[in-house]
Every structure is written in C-alpha cells, then in structure tokens.
Amino acid sequence: MSDRILSLKERIGQMIVVRASGYLFDQQIRYPVWEPVNATLKYWLETLHLGGVILLGGSAAEIALRSQQLQSWSRDNPLLIAADIEEGVGQRFSGATWFPPPMALGKIAEKSLTKATEYAKEMGAITAKEALAIGINWILAPIVDVNNNPDNPVINIRSFAETPEIVASLAQAFILGANSYPVLTTAKHFPGHGDTSNDSHLDLPIINHDHDRLEAIELPPFQAAIKSGVDSIMSAHLLIPAWDAEFPATLSSKILGEKLRQNLGFQGLIVTDALIMGGVTKIASAAAIAVRAVEAGADILLMPPDPIEAIEAVYSAVQGGTISEARINDSWQRIQRAKEKLGQRHPSLESLSSLAAPQALEIVRDILKDSQTVSGNLPIQATQGRNLIIIDDLLNCDFLDRSCPAVTIPRQWGYQTQIIDRSTFNQSLVSPETTLLQVFIRGNPFRGSAGLGEETKAIYQALLKTGQIQALIIYGSPYVFQWFRQQSGEIPYLFSYGQQASAQKIALETIFEWPTSGKNQTDTFI
Amino acid sequence: MSDRILSLKERIGQMIVVRASGYLFDQQIRYPVWEPVNATLKYWLETLHLGGVILLGGSAAEIALRSQQLQSWSRDNPLLIAADIEEGVGQRFSGATWFPPPMALGKIAEKSLTKATEYAKEMGAITAKEALAIGINWILAPIVDVNNNPDNPVINIRSFAETPEIVASLAQAFILGANSYPVLTTAKHFPGHGDTSNDSHLDLPIINHDHDRLEAIELPPFQAAIKSGVDSIMSAHLLIPAWDAEFPATLSSKILGEKLRQNLGFQGLIVTDALIMGGVTKIASAAAIAVRAVEAGADILLMPPDPIEAIEAVYSAVQGGTISEARINDSWQRIQRAKEKLGQRHPSLESLSSLAAPQALEIVRDILKDSQTVSGNLPIQATQGRNLIIIDDLLNCDFLDRSCPAVTIPRQWGYQTQIIDRSTFNQSLVSPETTLLQVFIRGNPFRGSAGLGEETKAIYQALLKTGQIQALIIYGSPYVFQWFRQQSGEIPYLFSYGQQASAQKIALETIFEWPTSGKNQTDTFI
C-alpha cells in the first residue's frame, strides 16, 4: 500500500466500488450498460484510486486471472475485490464449490441446530478459502435477513430461515468460519429485507412495521453478526417509516448513523446496496444519491452508475460544506483498516488447486441430503418415458446443460428429455406418456415473483388428471413445493433446496432404484 | 526437452495424445467416460512420457491456466497441446476470436478468390497467434475435405468449399497464415471425408469412388497443403475399397504408407483421427487398433481409449516382431522435430490480452458480411411481435444465451422471445402473431443429419399459410437455407454461415430498420 498522503479526491475514490465483468475480454461482457470495457476500467483504476471492484460473471479460473489483472492496473493501491457469493464461490464462478441456498441450513436447524451451525461454519470457511484462492477478498455474505414473508421475491431462500434465532446462529457460524481466513464478510441487508413482497432491484419496498417489531425480528441477526466480528454491513433500499419517513435506509442518517453506528455500535464498513438499483435510482439523481449516502453514513458506495460523477459530487459536497472532510476521513480510515486485514494475496496455480476439494463437495452433499424432503413409495422403478423439465427461463439457468444429472441420469434409463419454460408452455405437452417431472423454480432477483406461474399450475393439474406422472422433483423453493404438495395425492415426490448438479444427482439417486446391471452408455465425445 | 535417451516404452508414449477436459477442476468434467480426472491425468503425464494432450471444453482463460498446469505435470517432456479449432480459438474456447465456418470463405471465393484467400490467411494467422497465447501449439485445422455431398452430416460447412480448387487455395492460405507463428497445423481427414452421408463418429462410412475420382477430387487439397508445409495430416475413419478393401484409411498401410508417405511424399506427422470413434472401435479391440494404426504408418495415436493399454499393445508388438523398433524411431524423430519447431512457450497475462483484438473481430465481421445472402424488401420496420427461435438442441447451443443479439435486439424492439428445439416442437406455436423467425441448424458431428427435421418443415409451412412471418433468418447451413428459399415466396430472408453472436448482430442489423430514437432499455444487472 502506498504511504503517500492521498488527496481528498483520492480518499473519496477509496469509497467507491465499481462493477466489472469477471470475464477477461470485452467481447464477453454480458451487460454493457453496467460493465465498462477494459480501456475504461483500466483508466478508472489507474487514475481514480478506487476502493475496489465487484465482479459478476466468469469462471473461477477466469476470476483468478481477472483479479490479478485488476490489481496490476490499480498499481500501489490494493483493491477490495468483492462478489455476491452467498452460496459459495461456485454459485457465481464455475469450478469452485457451490453450496445449496442458505435456507437449506435453516431446514436442518429445525432438527439439529448444532449440526446446522457446524455446516454454516464449514460453508463460511470453504467460501473464504476459495474466494482468496481466486483473488476475491470481500465476501458479500452472509444474508442475515429473516425471510418471514413467503412471497418475498428477492430474499426468499437466500435467507437462512424464518426466525431471527436461527438466522442469528447460522450467520454467526458462517462469519466465524470465514474469519479463519483474511477475508472480509458482510451482513446484509440492514435493517432487514426479509418481509417485502416486492423487489428493491425494481422498486422501493416500504416496510410498515413499528419499532418494537423491527427490534424483535429484524435487528437481532445484525447484532449477532456484529458480535461475531462481521467486517461490513450492507444497507437495504427500503423505506421504513417507523424510523425514517423521508429516506430509505441506504440514504438515511437516522438508520445508518443512529441505529447502526450509534445504537448497535458497529465500527466496521457500512456499504450501500448497489446504487444502480431501482430502489434508489427512482428517488433522485445519481449525484444526489451518492452525496446523500455518504451523509447518511455509508463508507462505501457500491456500483454508482458512474464513479467519476459520484466522486465529483461528493467532492463538491465537501467543498460546499454539506459533508465535512472529517466524515470522509472516518470512512477512509475504516477502509484502510479493512485493507490491512487482508494483506497482499495473489492467486497461484497452486492455490487454485485447492478449489472444490473432495471434502468441500462432501459437505455440500451432506447438506443437500439432510435438507431434502421425500414422500411416497420410493425408490421407483425406471421405465422408459418422458423426462419433462420445467424451468423459469431457458436463457437464464446455469444449472442445466447436456451433461447435468437432471438430463443424463433419466436418459441412461431411457427417458426422453423435454424442456419447457414460460415462453414455451403448452397444454398439448399433456401427452399420454409416463412422465418424470422436474421443476426448477425459486425466488431470485429480477424475477418479479417468488412462486409459480399460472401456466405451470395448469400444466401440472392437467398432467395429474391423466395419471401419467411417475414422480415429481421440485428444486429450489419450499414455498413452490408447498403448492405441489397440496395437489399431489399419491405421487412420489422429492423436494431439494439446491438446483445445481450435485442436488440433481442426489435427488435422482433417491428417486430411482439403481440396478446392479450396466446402464445405457449414451455419452458422446465432442 | 530432456536430453536423456528415452526407453522404448517412453518413445511409444510420445506417440500417444490423450484427451483431457480443458476445465481445471474434476467437477467440471463434462464427459467422464472420455476425460480422466486430474489425479489420473497427472499420473499419466508424470510416468508415461506422453506426446501430448488434446483439450475440449473451458474458456480461453481456463486453457491458459490448464496448459501451464499440464506442462508442469509433464516436467521435462514438453507436450503437444492440440485442439479442434477449425473456426478459430473462440469456436471452442470462449473469449477468443470465433470465425464463421470455413464454407463462408468458399462463398466469398465464388466472387473473389483473392479476397477469400486473404481472409483465410488472416484466419490462419489469428488462430495461430491466439492458440499460442493460451498454450495450444497444435491446431487441428484446416479441414481440406471437399464437401461434395450436401447430405454430409459431419463435414458440411466445416469444409471450405465443394470444389478441390477452392479448398486447396483457401487451405494453403490458412496454413501460410498460421505458419507465421511457431505452431503446428493439420490437414484433415486423409484421404478426404467430403463425400459421406454418414458420420464416422458413429459408424464407418464407405467411399465407393474409383482411383481416378479420388485423384481428381479428394487428393489435390492434400497435395496443396503438403506443398505449403503443413505439419501434420490426420487420417479419416473411412473404408475406400478402391485403395484398400480390408482396412479403413486410419489402419491402412496402403493408404497412409503408400499413398500419403510414398506417393505424396509427406514427411510430417501422420495423426489418426480419434481412436474412440465408432468408425474404428467397431472393427477390433482398442489394443489391436493401436498396433494396426502404427503398422499402417501413424506417428500419433489420437485419443486411444486407454493410453496405458495402447502403449503396452504397441510395445508387445515390437517385442513380438510385428512392428520394428525402427518404425517407432521414425515416428519418434518426427515428433521430436515437430516439438523443436515449437520451442518453449508459456502463456502470460500479457499474451492473453492479445486475444480477440479489435482487428481480428473486424475481419470476422467482414467475412460474415461478405458471405451473407439477403433477399426481399429489406430492412423491415420493427413491430411488436414474436421472436421465434428454432434450434436443434436446447442443451447444446453455445451461441444462445440471454445476452446474445438474437435475443436482445428483437427484445429491444418489443418482440417476445420464444425458443423451441426438437423436444418442444409443437404445431400450436402457430399462433396468429407477427413473427420474426430465426433458425439455427447446421451439420455437426453426432447430429446424425445434415439438414432439417420434418417437424421444422411442418412448422414453417404452417406458419407460412398464416402469413404471419415478417422475416426469416437462417444461421448455419446453406443446404438448410436452400429448402427455405424454395418455400418462401415474398418473405424477406437472410442467410448467414455463422451462428455466433457477431453473426446474429450483423444479420439483425441488416434485417431491421434502425431508427434514430432510443431503444427500450431492458438490461438487468445481475
């Protein structure tokens, strides 16, 4: 780290974390509106003394190279490199370990809190180890929101549980595990995003609870996270009239300054949720939002639409006396302290080989097995038929390809794959065939809904009438699963929190009877 | 390279090139039957003194790391690292430059051979440069087969053209371009795979042409490639009774020894096509095939099912006198010479940044534009409607995702995306809506067919009757395009040889009228 005195603008630059594609090449950029080309990114890093970068997209191997590249562009200014890896590094960056959604641990906690906290601690430790191995030093997890609204379209199974006690315990264990490595953790989204039925990526949700309810349900997991030494806390884009009728949490000095910094005594980094989200962009100009977030108490502005505009706006506010220079220095010192914790780490081919270790994958399997729900006469006998897979969006499913178990295992038993999404729903799919039905639906940002569409419900009810469904597997949402369970009658079913390959394999191994004789070999080789 | 004397078994080991996944981690292996886990691969490389590895899967960034890893496992024995990059490095390894299929150049050659050969030379040079940048030193291209059978399911548009003259000229230019870098090239598949209507990945095709026809059509491009200094020639799994009624080319000393080595005077590496392909595996045991290929004259055995079995089988044949030690030494010396050409190259982050350079992408665009066919009243006015995309297989299309132009451009104009493949074909898709129809179908290995299925034809004819098709875009096969052209009447259409994002963008920019006003912004950011 450079020892020279930073200028005011450079100290403000340290408060900015920009978004970048995790891919190395411009032509791989998937969201050109949000992700700068390399020439721009390099220029920013060379000249603005930015605090860091949040990466989206790319595989683990690519991130290992990308993080080196970014650190080299940033020269003597070590970057925070952040990622939304709530389900482990493999959730975002293929090749690394991908855990089931946090709520799978909450399910296990209902039977054994001890077991669930052990898993959470392992999940934190493995996530931290793998993040550092590819150059990510800031984990934007755990989520400590209490998901007490089944219709929550954006938090949903990203939350550990529906009660503050379980969320607090599992979040603490995750942070404890992660803290065995020199990496930053983040409790989010302050003061609690669990009871919303709309998505702050799109609009500003309003939380109409009173002070007592917020203290009783929403705050305890944050208090627990602070007690466990969480390094940063991310603000939510939520309007909470009981605490601040004017500003959403991200822009509220009453919430960030008084509640979080003073009352809860949090001394770590306060980071905003992404400043390009509909929850704040609809309120004011990007420049005004940047200034207001710093006034409110944020140390880091995450993904402002334009970092230069944000820096200039905050700089002008200091020059104009709206923000004091002491306020900037406070944030800058917190950022310095956080960076000192990290030391200097560069991924190597050797450290990369520690990813997706057999022990880590074994823990993933254990969590998946322990959180799975089954019912009916299982295992079933495989008979040739149809493997009907229903997903939300063909163009947005990183858990499905031609080599994934949901496709290959039924194919080995002679099932023909048929995949439909909301663009291809069709009643005539009710053909009189033996059908294995696999449904992959869960709440996710931007989806706009936590649950099933009417078309899926109609298809299922039509298939039910024909009596052709041999077995049903739901991957993802326990709320979606509830609906199917109410309909299903005698059909054997299985619910898994996971959607990834390991979840598919465990589910199908549970569903089918495995004969000792050889299977059909249908592998091709190009 | 080690200077010590290799044992006989190690010299035989040099003749083996094994397949490996291009991904770094075992859990990313997509074809476990064909791709060893890292522990096995490392053991092979440490102990068997293998000639090299052929990589499939992974991105360009991953290959850069993977090739370093493999070379380090192989210690003092520098590996040949091969890949089937017939359409540039980006065809197989995302991030690098992806050219259109070779036949796009043949189309351009019909108008200007000079222009087409210039493009081919650039394509060879860019492919070589990018291959070396990620550690690939052996390009398994160009294909010099003359595609004189429109039903050819496996070569098809992978060939430069339908006449030997154009194929010869373009292949020579490609080799010339590639040879400006220290990398190996490969002419394939000897003595010519262009006139088959079945796929040697699945079965052994029979070529019933007489000697004169083979001399006139199939051989000239190979002669041209040899003249241009091609480093290796790959054998075809084809039975050619006019030359050898007993053995397919890969196993035929009459074809590899007499025709190729003696008559054509080829002094470079003879490499077999993959020995795991149905075209040879159905003939004899893997051990017998390995021995027979060496007897026939092959220097390199590509992808034997088990390298240890292959080495032991050839070793026993030498011990037993079936193969002379001189025969092994001949191959070994050729392999040594080939490796000396390469020198030692290790990818660096710096060399990586040369991938997908603006000039390379510009050449791709030029080739796409110059080979595109359009007809009818273009451009059309965008009107809200349906963007119906027909593909072969949802689970096997690396050109389609939520950020690709075939999806995003029509969406910006208000079109709703609907994607169907052969598992979801349905007549009720004929809903009375304005429809932009995009069809992605081409011949490819394992597809089993070069053309359109009956369902696609039926859908198209039904849509035609309703008069709802606003415009038609065919990506991939000119043979598929022929069928549509015969049906289409007055509908504006466009044919592109490419299927990748750049091809989609150019096609859609040609099809639609671009207003000066802003488009709908539908980008999301996670």
Side-chain angles (χ1 to χ4, degrees), chain B residues 276-294:
Chain B
I276 51 170
M277 288 165 65
V280 288
T281 57
K282 291 180 179 175
I283 296 174
S285 71
I289 285 169
V291 170
R292 182 65 219 168
V294 175

Side-chain angles (χ1 to χ4, degrees), chain A residues 19 26 29-37, chain B residues 403 523-524:
Chain A
R19 168 167 174 170
D26 285 347
I29 287 176
R30 301 186 69 181
Y31 303 97
V33 176
W34 308 111
E35 295 169 350
V37 295
Chain B
S403 61
D523 243 358
T524 57

Side-chain angles (χ1 to χ4, degrees), chain A residues 19 23-25 27-35 56 59-62 64-66 68-69 72 84 92 94-98 201 274 276-278 303 349 352-356 361 393-396 400-404 407 411 417-421 423-426 428-429 445-446 521 523-526, chain B residues 19 23-25 27-35 56 59-62 64-66 68-69 72 84 92 94-98 201 274 276-278 303 349 352-356 361 393-396 400-404 407 411 417-421 423-426 428-429 445-446 521 523-526:
Chain A
R19 168 167 174 170
Y23 294 101
L24 285 174
F25 306 107
Q27 66 163 349
Q28 294 176 294
I29 287 176
R30 301 186 69 181
Y31 303 97
V33 176
W34 308 111
E35 295 169 350
L56 286 100
S59 65
E62 278 160 339
L65 291 168
R66 182 64 155 169
Q68 279 183 56
Q69 181 188 53
S72 77
D84 269 317
R92 299 283 176 186
S94 61
T97 304
W98 187 356
H201 292 83
I276 51 170
M277 288 165 65
M303 292 195 224
L349 202 51
L352 265 179
S353 67
S354 69
L355 262 64
L361 302 180
D393 185 354
L394 282 168
L395 296 171
N396 190 13
L400 214 59
D401 64 29
R402 61 177 161 155
S403 62
C404 75
V407 171
R411 193 169 62 199
T417 312
Q418 194 173 22
I419 303 175
I420 56 173
D421 77 350
S423 83
T424 48
F425 282 137
N426 202 296
S428 61
L429 289 165
F446 291 107
Q521 181 49 262
D523 243 359
T524 57
F525 60 89
I526 280 186
Chain B
R19 167 168 176 172
Y23 294 101
L24 285 174
F25 306 107
Q27 64 161 350
Q28 293 175 295
I29 287 175
R30 301 186 68 180
Y31 303 98
V33 176
W34 308 111
E35 296 168 350
L56 287 102
S59 65
E62 277 159 339
L65 291 169
R66 181 66 155 169
Q68 280 183 55
Q69 180 188 53
S72 76
D84 269 316
R92 299 282 175 187
S94 60
T97 304
W98 186 356
H201 292 84
I276 51 170
M277 288 165 65
M303 290 194 224
L349 202 51
L352 264 180
S353 68
S354 68
L355 264 63
L361 301 181
D393 184 354
L394 281 168
L395 295 172
N396 190 14
L400 212 61
D401 63 28
R402 61 178 161 154
S403 61
C404 74
V407 171
R411 192 169 61 198
T417 312
Q418 192 172 24
I419 303 175
I420 57 174
D421 77 351
S423 83
T424 48
F425 282 139
N426 202 297
S428 60
L429 290 165
F446 291 106
Q521 181 50 258
D523 243 358
T524 57
F525 60 87
I526 281 188

Side-chain angles (χ1 to χ4, degrees), chain B residues 74-96:
Chain B
S74 186
R75 297 174 186 170
D76 62 347
N77 166 36
L79 294 172
L80 297 174
I81 298 189
D84 269 316
I85 41 182
E86 300 158 5
E87 301 173 12
V89 176
Q91 177 196 13
R92 299 282 175 187
F93 308 115
S94 60

Side-chain angles (χ1 to χ4, degrees), chain B residues 350-498:
Chain B
E350 206 129 310
S351 70
L352 264 180
S353 68
S354 68
L355 264 63
Q359 305 91 305
L361 301 181
E362 189 61 37
I363 291 166
V364 170
R365 279 191 291 271
D366 288 345
I367 296 172
L368 284 164
K369 277 180 193 158
D370 290 348
S371 61
Q372 206 168 249
T373 305
V374 293
S375 165
N377 215 350
L378 287 176
I380 58 170
Q381 187 81 42
T383 52
Q384 296 196 347
R386 168 170 66 160
N387 173 25
L388 179 59
I389 297 175
I390 301 184
I391 56 177
D392 257 343
D393 184 354
L394 281 168
L395 295 172
N396 190 14
C397 63
D398 45 9
F399 45 84
L400 212 61
D401 63 28
R402 61 178 161 154
S403 61
C404 74
V407 171
T408 57
I409 293 178
R411 192 169 61 198
Q412 283 167 347
W413 301 125
Y415 289 74
Q416 295 289 319
T417 312
Q418 192 172 24
I419 303 175
I420 57 174
D421 77 351
R422 56 188 176 217
S423 83
T424 48
F425 282 139
N426 202 297
Q427 280 304 317
S428 60
L429 290 165
V430 186
S431 64
E433 279 180 89
T434 303
T435 295
L436 165 69
L437 182 62
Q438 303 186 74
V439 178
F440 294 80
I441 293 180
R442 57 171 278 190
N444 253 339
F446 291 106
R447 200 175 161 266
S449 152
L452 287 170
E454 290 310 314
E455 299 99 328
T456 309
K457 289 181 181 174
I459 287 176
Y460 186 65
Q461 282 160 336
L463 287 171
L464 264 186
K465 274 187 204 144
T466 66
Q468 72 188 264
I469 304 178
Q470 192 185 15
L472 166 70
I473 310 177
I474 311 288
Y475 301 93
S477 164
Y479 308 110
V480 166
F481 165 59
Q482 284 304 344
W483 182 87
F484 279 97
R485 180 144 71 174
Q486 284 153 13
Q487 311 286 318
S488 294
E490 297 300 298
I491 295 166
Y493 62 69
L494 185 150
F495 166 67
S496 174
Y497 281 90

Side-chain angles (χ1 to χ4, degrees), chain B residues 87-347:
Chain B
E87 301 173 12
V89 176
Q91 177 196 13
R92 299 282 175 187
F93 308 115
S94 60
T97 304
W98 186 356
F99 286 88
M103 201 175 273
L105 296 183
K107 175 75 182 172
I108 295 167
E110 289 171 13
K111 284 180 257 169
S112 166
L113 186 59
T114 311
K115 201 175 195 181
T117 50
E118 271 167 28
Y119 284 146
K121 191 177 162 194
E122 293 275 17
M123 183 171 163
I126 292 164
T127 301
K129 183 184 177 187
E130 296 193 352
L132 282 175
I134 60 172
I136 292 170
N137 50 33
W138 189 5
I139 299 173
L140 300 181
I143 286 194
V144 302
D145 303 320
V146 182
N147 196 68
N148 41 44
N149 186 336
D151 293 329
N152 193 320
V154 59
I155 301 302
N156 210 278
I157 56 174
R158 295 165 64 199
S159 157
F160 281 115
E162 297 177 345
T163 66
E165 295 77 18
I166 295 179
V167 173
S169 298
L170 297 179
Q172 281 195 303
F174 182 97
I175 293 162
L176 196 65
N179 272 342
S180 47
Y181 294 88
V183 65
L184 305 184
T185 54
T186 312
K188 62 192 189 184
H189 308 79
F190 191 81
H193 207 311
D195 193 6
T196 57
S197 59
N198 53 350
D199 182 350
S200 54
H201 292 84
L202 307 171
D203 276 302
L204 180 63
I206 300 174
I207 307 284
N208 275 318
H209 294 307
D210 63 19
H211 175 80
D212 289 350
R213 144 74 197 231
L214 292 165
E215 289 260 315
I217 304 287
E218 270 72 20
L219 290 193
F222 286 98
Q223 292 167 306
I226 292 168
K227 209 170 149 192
S228 305
V230 77
D231 303 283
S232 63
I233 290 183
M234 184 183 286
S235 70
H237 302 331
L238 297 174
L239 192 67
I240 304 161
W243 283 352
D244 189 333
E246 192 182 358
F247 292 109
T250 297
L251 309 180
S252 165
S253 54
K254 289 180 186 164
I255 296 176
L256 299 188
E258 287 173 34
K259 296 288 172 198
L260 180 54
R261 198 67 90 193
Q262 288 172 33
N263 298 3
L264 301 189
F266 179 59
Q267 292 306 316
L269 289 177
I270 298 180
V271 53
T272 67
D273 204 346
L275 295 182
I276 51 170
M277 288 165 65
V280 288
T281 57
K282 291 180 179 175
I283 296 174
S285 71
I289 285 169
V291 170
R292 182 65 219 168
V294 175
E295 278 188 87
D299 300 305
I300 298 267
L301 307 180
L302 186 65
M303 290 194 224
D306 179 340
I308 296 174
E309 180 189 30
I311 291 168
E312 293 297 331
V314 175
Y315 181 77
S316 297
V318 177
Q319 300 291 57
T322 317
I323 297 174
S324 71
E325 196 164 338
R327 170 72 199 79
I328 302 297
N329 287 340
D330 279 354
S331 287
W332 176 52
Q333 278 158 19
R334 280 189 208 101
I335 294 163
Q336 293 277 92
R337 276 201 301 276
K339 287 188 173 182
E340 277 158 18
K341 174 181 172 182
L342 305 175
Q344 280 281 27
R345 279 240 178 187
H346 286 292

